[in-house]
Amino acid sequence: MSPEQRRRCMQANKSKNTSIEVLLGRALWHRGLRYRKHEKTVPGHPDFCFKGKKVAVFCDGEFWHGRNWEQNKHRIHSHQEFWCDKIERNQRRDAEVNQLLRREGWQVLRFWETDIRKHLDSCVQMVEAALNGAKLPVNYQIDDYS
């Protein structure tokens, strides 16, 4: 890709109302779960926020948040230093937000993009479980709940 083509591609990436957010949001709404989106008063501005129950839900893209980062970071060939720094900063920020929210008594759920696409019902069930008071482990995997 030329630099101009790459710039246009990267500009097209959205940070709000992504396809996975829309997919999960519709499924939650269909189940009768009412939420706030990108709540500015909650640290990290969760994609879906249930303030009364103190449940924060984040939808993370594999590239931007570094899924299987140690194996995949070597696949970046152009501007490797920039992208590695950026994704590692995102991971540190995610960890800080998780820690801050948990200290404030929030239950934090983070779903990978692929998990939302492939296991939407499991993701919704996990949100429902959290809203009903179930304490999910810090490092859960969707496959454990499918």
Side-chain angles (χ1 to χ4, degrees):
M1 272 190 212
S2 72
E4 179 61 26
Q5 289 171 318
R6 182 160 321 275
R7 185 178 71 78
R8 274 189 266 123
C9 285
M10 297 311 286
Q11 283 180 329
N13 288 315
K14 300 189 308 183
S15 63
K16 291 183 181 178
N17 300 318
T18 62
S19 60
I20 58 171
E21 284 179 37
V22 170
L23 185 64
L24 183 58
R26 284 183 181 159
L28 293 171
W29 196 266
H30 182 71
R31 289 267 180 90
L33 303 175
R34 301 302 181 245
Y35 49 80
R36 293 177 183 262
K37 291 176 68 176
H38 310 288
E39 179 59 45
K40 291 182 174 139
T41 63
V42 178
H45 311 291
D47 297 315
F48 301 100
C49 178
F50 301 87
K51 282 181 97 171
K53 299 282 187 170
K54 284 194 154 188
V55 174
V57 180
F58 294 89
C59 304
D60 294 338
E62 274 86 357
F63 176 76
W64 300 106
H65 294 269
R67 185 173 198 177
N68 300 323
W69 184 238
E70 289 306 314
Q71 293 90 14
N72 290 331
K73 69 179 174 183
H74 305 293
R75 294 172 60 195
I76 298 172
H77 298 294
S78 60
H79 305 289
Q80 188 173 27
E81 184 178 341
F82 169 80
W83 286 113
C84 288
D85 288 347
K86 178 172 186 54
I87 292 167
E88 288 167 2
R89 272 193 324 269
N90 289 348
Q91 290 176 322
R92 284 191 302 273
R93 186 192 64 237
D94 291 345
E96 289 169 7
V97 166
N98 289 352
Q99 188 176 38
L100 177 61
L101 286 170
R102 286 190 179 108
R103 264 198 316 258
E104 293 180 6
W106 286 78
Q107 176 110 351
V108 179
L109 300 175
R110 284 191 177 271
F111 298 117
W112 291 111
E113 174 179 0
T114 304
D115 291 336
I116 293 170
R117 291 190 194 284
K118 290 183 178 178
H119 307 288
L120 181 60
D121 285 336
S122 296
C123 295
V124 173
Q125 288 171 4
M126 290 178 69
V127 173
E128 286 178 326
L131 291 171
N132 290 326
K135 293 294 180 194
L136 300 171
V138 173
N139 295 317
Y140 58 88
Q141 293 293 319
I142 288 295
D143 295 333
D144 298 341
Y145 295 90
S146 297

